[in-house]
Amino acid sequence: MEPAPAKAKPQGRLLVSTQLDAKDELEERLERCVGIVQTLSNGLSEREANDALTASVCKGQQQHEEVCLGLFTLVLTEPTQATRCYRDLTLVNRDGMNIILVKINQILMEKFLKLQEVPRSQLVWLVKELVKSGVMGADGVIMTLMKQIAGGDISTKNLWLAENVLEILVDQKEWVLKSGMLIAMSVYTYLRLIVDHGAPNLLPLRQKEVDFCISMLREKFMECLIIGRDLVRLLQNVARIPEMELLWRDLLHNPQVLSPQFTGILQLLTARTSRKFLACRLTPDMETKLLFMTSRVRFGQQKRYQDWFQRQYLSTAESQSLRCDLIRYICGVVHPSNEVLSSDILPRWAIIGWLLTTCTSNVAASNAKLALFYDWLFFNPEKDSIMNIEPAILVMHHSMKPHPAITATLLDFMCRIIPHFFPPLESQVRQGVFNSLNFIMEKRVLAHLAPLFDNPKLDRELRSMLRERFPEFCSPPSPPTEVKMEEAASMDMDNHVLDKEEGCYDHTEAAFSDDEEEVNNKGKKREFRFHPIKEAVVEEPADITPWLDQLDDTMKEKVQQIQKTSDTETQCEVMQEIVDLILEDDFDTEQMSALASCLAELFKDHFRGEVLPEEITEESLEESVCKPVCLIFRNLVTMQEDNSGFSVLLDMLAELYQKQPKIGYHLLYYLKASKAANGKMMLYESFAQATALGDLHTCLMMDMKACQEDDIRLLCYLTPSIYSEFPDETLRSGELLNMIVAVIDSMQLQELMCHVMMGDLVMFRKDSVLNILIQSLEWETFEQYSTWQLFLAHSIPLETIIPILQHLKYKEHPEALSCLLLQLRREKPSEEMVKMVLSRPCHPDDQFTTSILRHWASKYDDTLGEHIKAQLIKNNNQPRKRQSKKVSSRSVFSLRSSSSKLAQLTLEQILEHLDNLRLSLSNMKNNFFTQTPILQALQHVQASCDEAHKMRFSDLFALAEEYEDSQAKPLKSRRKAPASSPRSRKGVAPPTNNEEESVSSSASEEEDSKPKAPKRKRKGSSAVGSDSD
């Protein structure tokens, strides 16, 4: 009987996965909870089952969570049981469905794209039921669900989601009207989606969306007013729809009809749109990718990321409208810190310039330019941020040299939008643009505007229009010496101008080679150039004047005390007083941002240089965490999470993190190094959730990346703690591992291996190690060798990762192959190992399979022989069964082993590898091919293969024939006597005793050798269809 085929990894019922994906931890946990619920309720009536579940949840918090999550998962995966399970859930839940709302939000933000069809439909059904039940917090889930409706996407799935969410909002209108934020968010979402749904087949859906938006805007206009100026931008795009046109006219000419408190469109246009609305039109996946590009991708290395993003989201005609959402998000939400701005991270203007160049429609291009300049039109320096207007001026500035047409079209747009945006408000628009340009000059985003406005690369008409519109900014620039001084004193935002004009949108490479030549030969363009002035900037005292005025008197006095003293101990005392002020009940949180800016500027020296002491002792570690900024960490550590001051202080730290990203890994260092923080590492998770990122994994990876760039010793010091405290974030992918192996040296690698051997560090686990090693195949050579060394330091069975052999090509992956070869050399071959080794394609230059088989043949010949026999028989049997029905011996070699679909192992492959092994062993005395199992298997194969393969592997099959001859000789000698007897001469052939003895003495040998005798005597006959086989 054949061995049972190996079972493929079972597919979960919640998420889509492949054979190579590690089992998702969330899915595993939910499946365990389903098992618990089924164990409790199987075989019981509905009432008895409900009693059993109720009794279980009463035992404790863990049981309550398990039962609720089990019922939740059954709702998602079993549509026929969904109604009953939801009813049971409402009966047994004890926390107002909070555990369910949290889990739904987690799935929507992290797993929605991976959900299978049934769970996706059921999730929307469940949200609808939660809304019907009036569950508190369901409005937050609806807003998260709306975020998954992608703009510029009219795929079936996206339209289905848009229609179903709209149905919930319309059916439960009374419930919607209770939440002002939900009203505003849903209006903002569907006003934007109406633009995408103009095709004839989508008009019914568009009409529903129009009716919903009109209803909300007319009934709850003041709630919609919180959207700000972007509400006008969205209404402009749909104003030609008849119902919308009526509303638009009321907005312009009869505002009191909409609300008595609404004074007119200017009230809307002067209100800045909150980040929440700008972010809600990007899916979580888009948002993550954009944040990654603006925080971790270096300028000049972004092409592959942009290509991926374009393929994924910007490749269709409908996606033209998405560019506006992306530009508004980048301008209004992505506000990098000064540290990032002064680094070589991909700047915002480069991404926006790239987006502008991908517009293929004139309408889309005009809308994209409007999105870029929208905050300029009514800019108020007291309310609006410089970060909202900075990208537009930098796109124009940096495009002048490589893409003058882009600069020209943007400048032309800026001039023409003033009279044409809304003629009655022309003077206000002119003032807004003037304020923007003035603030740009004041904040030194650019040293001068004259080189931009009066550049010879612009045509004469445009230059004339610019001089007419903005004469104040077209005066000749200061002398070069003064320009250089001004640049030296410019704010940190200008420090990132590293002459990135070259290739800024096509991004094939970042060209810096001709900078010096141009600076030397064209002195008149010095104002465009970045000068190496970092040392001068560092030496200047911190200027915190812009933020001091936003603090109350007491807080301002404390901050000024820190500014005046350089004594660390005194600064720590004052810092503690500031923390005490923050923790007071009457602390005004509005000044938190200004306070964070002051502290980030005052303590910037503390974030320079190495953090970890040269000699690590308890005393040196304690001394290293005695910095003023560590006072915030210390207070958080000593507080309870339910303390009201805890969240306030956490918000303060999150605000500081926005200004100074190094805070993240400094907090990790404090939690590891300080005695006071012993066992409090999970405080970092609370911190991550309080940040604008809101996600532990993203925050942790960004902080470790910053640490990697600043201090490799500290990275190695933190590594054991990070892996042990956050296993779910570190072990499921190779992201952190890649950061580590990319920078460590051989000594640090050896130290990490020692940590692994001592049990202090676990960098791999069985369920994800294969995925990580596959990811590592794209890394640099030393990084791969380091990864394999760290893997081998763990006690993970090699069989766990042996399937990686399917991915390895001898020319492309020599690092992984050499490490695997050395490790296989130490292992006793198992059936799985032999199968995977034999499944490698045969190539004259690829000696991997032959070398390891030769080693095993000399050390474990019996074991290897049995495993090879099993593979030969297994891969030969299936084709022979087919052959008996369709006499086609040719198909033997094209069929794969039934037990190994992944390995793609064929009989021909095995024979090729065996023939190579035979040649390799021919020059040494080795008995491998004299073993009975191998020879019997070769006989078995020879009996059913065609003449072409018999010829090709004739030397290999000759071994089997020699074995057959040696087994057949005794039998022939015993048959000679009866053959010469009279009875024999008369043609009578009764069975002889000799034959009976042969059968009884060697049944297995008879079985293998008998079919061969007629075959060798009469070569014209075939034994393929022989019954004796």
Side-chain angles (χ1 to χ4, degrees):
M1 180 181 288
E2 292 183 37
K7 290 184 179 177
K9 187 186 80 172
Q11 171 77 42
R13 302 190 62 189
L14 196 63
L15 306 178
V16 175
S17 64
T18 66
Q19 289 290 340
L20 295 177
D21 287 336
K23 184 73 173 176
D24 187 84
E25 291 181 11
L26 174 63
E27 188 173 19
E28 264 189 323
R29 186 188 178 205
L30 293 178
E31 285 175 356
R32 284 198 301 270
C33 294
V34 168
I36 291 168
V37 169
Q38 289 175 337
T39 303
L40 289 170
S41 58
N42 274 355
L44 302 179
S45 66
E46 286 192 14
R47 183 169 182 177
E48 289 170 338
N50 187 261
D51 291 343
L53 294 174
T54 304
S56 179
V57 300
C58 292
K59 292 179 182 177
Q61 179 61 30
Q62 183 181 345
Q63 288 80 2
H64 172 263
E65 194 169 307
E66 288 170 345
V67 169
C68 288
L69 291 181
L71 291 169
F72 164 68
T73 311
L74 285 170
V75 169
L76 297 187
T77 56
E78 300 290 348
T80 56
Q81 301 179 36
T83 305
R84 179 179 60 80
C85 290
Y86 180 71
R87 184 199 64 207
D88 291 345
L89 184 59
T90 57
L91 292 172
V92 303
N93 185 265
R94 297 287 185 272
D95 64 353
M97 291 287 187
N98 186 58
I99 180 67
I100 303 302
L101 295 176
V102 169
K103 203 55 63 179
I104 292 175
N105 270 319
Q106 182 185 353
I107 290 173
L108 286 173
M109 292 300 288
E110 299 174 11
K111 312 289 183 185
F112 188 77
L113 294 178
K114 289 187 173 183
L115 279 180
Q116 295 183 27
E117 289 295 333
V118 170
R120 185 187 287 111
S121 303
Q122 286 302 111
L123 186 64
V124 174
W125 178 86
L126 177 58
V127 171
K128 188 174 185 178
E129 293 302 310
L130 291 170
V131 171
K132 280 183 183 176
S133 305
V135 174
M136 188 176 294
D139 54 341
V141 171
I142 284 282
M143 286 188 273
T144 309
L145 189 58
M146 282 194 294
K147 189 174 171 66
Q148 284 291 354
I149 308 172
D153 180 0
I154 56 170
S155 64
T156 307
K157 285 182 181 178
N158 202 54
L159 292 173
W160 172 85
L161 184 60
E163 192 163 10
N164 276 270
V165 174
L166 181 62
E167 187 181 317
I168 295 173
L169 295 171
V170 172
D171 291 349
Q172 305 299 321
K173 183 178 176 182
E174 292 303 316
W175 174 82
V176 173
L177 294 177
K178 295 176 184 176
S179 171
M181 180 54 72
L182 179 58
I183 293 170
M185 198 71 79
S186 56
V187 167
Y188 189 90
T189 297
Y190 281 97
L191 275 178
R192 165 63 188 86
L193 293 175
I194 288 170
V195 177
D196 296 333
H197 301 159
N201 61 314
L202 301 179
L203 288 179
L205 172 59
R206 191 179 81 166
Q207 190 58 48
K208 291 179 188 176
E209 293 168 339
V210 169
D211 293 343
F212 171 75
C213 291
I214 290 288
S215 167
M216 289 296 161
L217 285 164
R218 289 204 175 275
E219 293 177 33
K220 293 288 182 179
F221 186 79
M222 289 311 291
E223 280 77 2
C224 299
L225 199 67
I226 63 172
I227 294 173
R229 59 175 67 114
D230 276 83
L231 177 59
V232 179
R233 183 176 63 85
L234 294 181
L235 285 170
Q236 275 181 295
N237 293 336
V238 298
R240 293 191 178 184
I241 297 172
E243 297 93 333
M244 286 293 182
E245 190 175 3
L246 294 173
L247 179 76
W248 182 247
R249 286 178 182 171
D250 286 342
L251 186 72
L252 297 181
H253 308 300
N254 197 8
Q256 298 292 314
V257 172
L258 297 173
S259 172
Q261 291 85 34
F262 181 48
T263 58
I265 195 169
L266 189 60
Q267 182 182 351
L268 258 178
L269 290 168
T270 53
R272 180 177 166 189
T273 299
S274 167
R275 293 181 175 194
K276 293 177 184 176
F277 297 105
L278 298 177
C280 82
R281 288 318 316 127
L282 267 65
T283 65
D285 190 57
M286 290 182 202
E287 197 169 4
T288 303
K289 300 295 186 298
L290 271 184
L291 288 173
F292 177 85
M293 283 199 282
T294 54
S295 62
R296 294 178 56 188
V297 176
R298 283 182 165 74
F299 183 76
Q301 299 177 358
Q302 69 271 32
K303 187 175 188 304
R304 65 190 182 110
Y305 301 103
Q306 290 175 342
D307 289 347
W308 182 94
F309 197 93
Q310 185 157 1
R311 283 196 306 272
Q312 190 76 7
Y313 299 114
L314 302 174
S315 58
T316 62
E318 304 80 35
S319 64
Q320 292 288 325
S321 62
L322 179 60
R323 287 157 175 79
C324 298
D325 300 333
L326 296 170
I327 291 172
R328 292 299 295 143
Y329 178 84
I330 292 168
C331 291
V333 180
V334 182
H335 290 177
S337 65
N338 288 343
E339 195 75 24
V340 173
L341 288 171
S342 61
S343 70
D344 60 350
I345 295 297
L346 178 65
R348 297 186 298 163
W349 62 260
I351 299 179
I352 290 174
W354 161 67
L355 288 171
L356 290 173
T357 60
T358 63
C359 290
T360 57
S361 151
N362 290 333
V363 174
S366 296
N367 288 336
K369 285 182 275 190
L370 180 62
L372 180 60
F373 282 104
Y374 206 63
D375 288 311
W376 287 53
L377 306 183
F378 298 90
F379 184 79
N380 182 346
E382 294 180 4
K383 295 180 181 178
D384 293 308
S385 168
I386 183 68
M387 299 300 283
N388 288 34
I389 61 173
E390 179 225 42
I393 197 70
L394 290 181
V395 169
M396 293 189 286
H397 171 66
H398 290 289
S399 301
M400 181 63 81
K401 183 180 172 184
H403 301 280
I406 288 181
T407 301
T409 189
L410 290 176
L411 287 171
D412 182 75
F413 182 87
M414 184 179 71
C415 291
R416 296 182 189 280
I417 196 69
I418 293 173
H420 294 114
F421 177 72
F422 186 46
L425 296 179
E426 181 181 351
S427 60
Q428 287 90 338
V429 176
R430 186 187 304 278
Q431 186 61 45
V433 175
F434 178 85
N435 289 343
S436 302
L437 293 170
N438 207 38
F439 205 51
I440 284 166
M441 293 280 288
E442 184 182 322
K443 292 298 182 183
R444 303 295 186 189
V445 177
L446 289 183
H448 295 285
L449 293 176
L452 178 63
F453 286 1
D454 200 20
N455 195 291
K457 290 189 177 183
L458 303 176
D459 65 68
R460 187 173 298 175
E461 184 184 347
L462 178 56
R463 289 160 66 187
S464 174
M465 184 163 57
L466 285 164
R467 277 195 294 270
E468 181 187 336
R469 292 263 194 267
F470 310 109
E472 304 88 346
F473 305 108
C474 292
S475 57
S478 306
T481 53
E482 291 182 25
V483 171
K484 194 167 184 178
M485 291 298 292
E486 286 183 356
E487 285 188 1
S490 66
M491 65 175 289
D492 286 346
M493 270 192 303
D494 196 31
N495 288 352
H496 71 292
V497 185
L498 299 172
D499 193 24
K500 296 176 181 176
E501 298 99 323
E502 295 286 349
C504 56
Y505 305 137
D506 53 3
H507 303 310
T508 51
E509 60 180 359
F512 300 103
S513 58
D514 59 349
D515 287 4
E516 291 182 5
E517 181 183 342
E518 286 197 25
V519 171
N520 293 333
N521 296 339
K522 303 179 182 179
K524 64 181 180 181
K525 290 192 177 182
R526 281 182 181 273
E527 63 272 11
F528 285 93
R529 300 286 170 246
F530 173 81
H531 302 285
I533 45 122
K534 285 190 176 179
E535 291 77 4
V537 173
V538 172
E539 289 170 3
E540 289 181 2
D543 180 17
I544 57 173
T545 312
W547 303 295
L548 273 178
D549 296 336
Q550 300 176 40
L551 303 178
D552 60 37
D553 294 339
T554 310
M555 188 65 78
K556 184 191 294 186
E557 182 186 344
K558 300 298 180 189
V559 171
Q560 287 173 331
Q561 285 180 28
I562 292 180
Q563 187 180 23
K564 290 173 184 175
T565 181
S566 58
D567 179 59
T568 303
E569 191 173 337
T570 307
Q571 285 183 334
C572 286
E573 291 173 2
V574 179
M575 188 65 205
Q576 182 58 53
E577 294 173 9
I578 288 176
V579 171
D580 293 339
L581 287 174
I582 293 171
L583 294 175
E584 289 181 1
D585 294 336
D586 59 350
F587 175 69
D588 182 9
T589 55
E590 293 295 322
Q591 58 181 327
M592 199 175 277
S593 178
L595 176 59
S597 298
C598 291
L599 295 177
E601 192 66 27
L602 291 173
F603 296 145
K604 61 185 177 184
D605 286 344
H606 295 172
F607 298 100
R608 293 196 178 99
E610 294 187 352
V611 181
L612 195 64
E614 193 65 36
E615 186 180 348
I616 299 177
T617 63
E618 287 188 10
E619 294 76 14
S620 64
L621 288 174
E622 282 298 326
E623 187 178 344
S624 69
V625 294
C626 290
K627 294 178 180 178
V629 75
C630 294
L631 263 296
I632 302 177
F633 305 157
R634 187 182 303 170
N635 279 271
L636 279 168
V637 163
T638 56
M639 296 171 74
Q640 297 294 328
E641 289 196 20
D642 54 1
N643 189 317
S644 59
F646 181 82
S647 59
V648 177
L649 207 52
L650 212 54
D651 290 341
M652 178 66 213
L653 193 60
E655 200 70 43
L656 195 56
Y657 182 62
Q658 284 192 326
K659 322 294 180 186
Q660 176 52 271
K662 295 183 181 182
I663 279 284
Y665 74 77
H666 277 256
L667 173 59
L668 287 168
Y669 173 67
Y670 179 85
L671 295 173
K672 164 96 186 237
S674 173
K675 287 182 180 177
N678 189 25
K680 299 279 186 147
M681 185 62 82
M682 295 313 290
L683 172 66
Y684 179 82
E685 185 172 355
S686 303
F687 160 73
Q689 290 167 353
T691 64
L693 297 170
D695 173 56
L696 174 60
H697 179 77
T698 307
C699 196
L700 182 63
M701 292 303 115
M702 289 180 67
D703 290 340
M704 294 305 284
K705 181 66 177 173
C707 180
Q708 178 223 41
E709 292 171 354
D710 292 346
D711 192 342
I712 298 169
R713 285 183 65 240
L714 179 58
L715 178 72
C716 295
Y717 176 76
L718 291 176
T719 293
S721 296
I722 299 301
Y723 270 97
S724 62
E725 296 291 342
F726 307 109
D728 293 344
E729 312 306 322
T730 54
L731 295 175
R732 66 185 180 188
S733 76
E735 192 174 354
L736 179 58
L737 178 64
N738 191 17
M739 288 183 211
I740 295 167
V741 296
V743 293
I744 58 174
D745 57 28
S746 52
M747 186 177 76
Q748 289 162 336
L749 172 62
Q750 190 261 344
E751 288 175 358
L752 289 175
M753 290 174 68
C754 290
H755 281 301
V756 173
M757 299 286 285
M758 292 189 293
D760 302 332
L761 174 61
V762 176
M763 303 180 82
F764 300 96
R765 62 184 178 196
K766 288 183 180 181
D767 63 348
S768 58
V769 61
L770 179 59
N771 264 352
I772 293 174
L773 289 177
I774 291 171
Q775 289 174 34
S776 74
L777 299 177
E778 303 296 323
W779 302 350
E780 296 297 328
T781 293
F782 181 77
E783 295 170 16
Q784 289 195 53
Y785 279 129
S786 299
T787 301
W788 279 96
Q789 293 290 336
L790 290 167
F791 165 72
L792 295 175
H794 291 70
S795 300
I796 298 177
L798 194 63
E799 286 197 346
T800 307
I801 58 102
I802 200 69
I804 198 175
L805 272 173
Q806 302 165 65
H807 299 265
L808 303 183
K809 299 176 182 177
Y810 77 98
K811 282 187 178 179
E812 297 175 21
H813 308 121
E815 301 91 349
L817 282 170
S818 58
C819 292
L820 259 179
L821 187 62
L822 292 175
Q823 190 58 19
L824 285 168
R825 189 175 184 273
R826 300 185 181 94
E827 300 280 334
K828 184 177 180 181
S830 65
E831 184 176 353
E832 182 68 15
M833 286 180 191
V834 172
K835 180 179 73 176
M836 288 296 171
V837 167
L838 290 173
S839 70
R840 289 188 59 73
C842 294
H843 193 281
D845 296 331
D846 184 5
Q847 299 295 322
F848 180 89
T849 299
T850 305
S851 57
I852 190 59
L853 289 178
R854 177 180 169 127
H855 172 76
W856 282 340
S858 63
K859 200 169 182 182
Y860 306 104
D861 54 346
D862 294 345
T863 307
L864 180 63
E866 290 294 338
H867 292 325
I868 289 179
K869 176 186 176 182
Q871 294 303 322
L872 281 169
I873 302 283
K874 191 185 299 183
N875 283 271
N876 189 48
N877 279 345
Q878 181 69 16
R880 288 185 64 193
K881 287 176 185 175
R882 295 187 183 185
Q883 226 174 344
S884 62
K885 294 177 185 177
K886 303 176 186 178
V887 184
S888 173
S889 59
R890 180 169 53 86
S891 65
V892 169
F893 302 101
S894 64
L895 293 171
R896 296 172 185 172
S897 164
S898 61
S899 65
S900 182
K901 291 181 182 177
L902 275 178
Q904 299 187 359
L905 183 59
T906 64
L907 185 59
E908 186 171 13
Q909 252 180 322
I910 302 175
L911 292 174
E912 280 190 275
H913 286 308
L914 280 181
D915 206 32
N916 290 337
L917 178 60
R918 178 188 62 78
L919 292 171
S920 173
L921 294 174
S922 62
N923 60 354
M924 62 180 285
K925 293 182 179 179
N926 189 288
N927 298 324
F928 180 73
F929 282 102
T930 63
Q931 295 182 89
T932 302
I934 291 287
L935 297 170
Q936 287 177 344
L938 287 173
Q939 284 183 338
H940 190 77
V941 172
Q942 187 184 26
S944 59
C945 70
D946 60 13
E947 291 299 324
H949 288 88
K950 285 179 188 175
M951 184 69 69
R952 182 178 174 186
F953 301 110
S954 58
D955 291 339
L956 197 60
F957 289 134
L959 301 173
E961 291 176 2
E962 290 170 11
Y963 169 72
E964 182 184 348
D965 290 341
S966 66
Q967 296 297 311
K969 279 178 185 177
L971 180 62
K972 289 175 186 176
S973 63
R974 286 192 293 270
R975 285 180 177 172
K976 280 181 183 178
S980 60
S981 67
R983 293 177 66 180
S984 175
R985 283 193 295 270
K986 289 180 183 178
V988 182
T992 65
N993 291 333
N994 290 343
E995 287 177 336
E996 290 173 6
E997 288 172 12
S998 175
V999 170
S1000 63
S1001 63
S1002 182
S1004 63
E1005 291 176 11
E1006 180 77 76
E1007 191 176 49
D1008 287 325
S1009 61
K1010 276 180 77 177
K1012 309 302 182 295
K1015 177 185 167 196
R1016 292 184 69 233
K1017 290 175 184 175
R1018 293 174 297 178
K1019 292 190 177 178
S1021 67
S1022 172
V1024 172
S1026 170
D1027 290 335
S1028 63
D1029 246 356

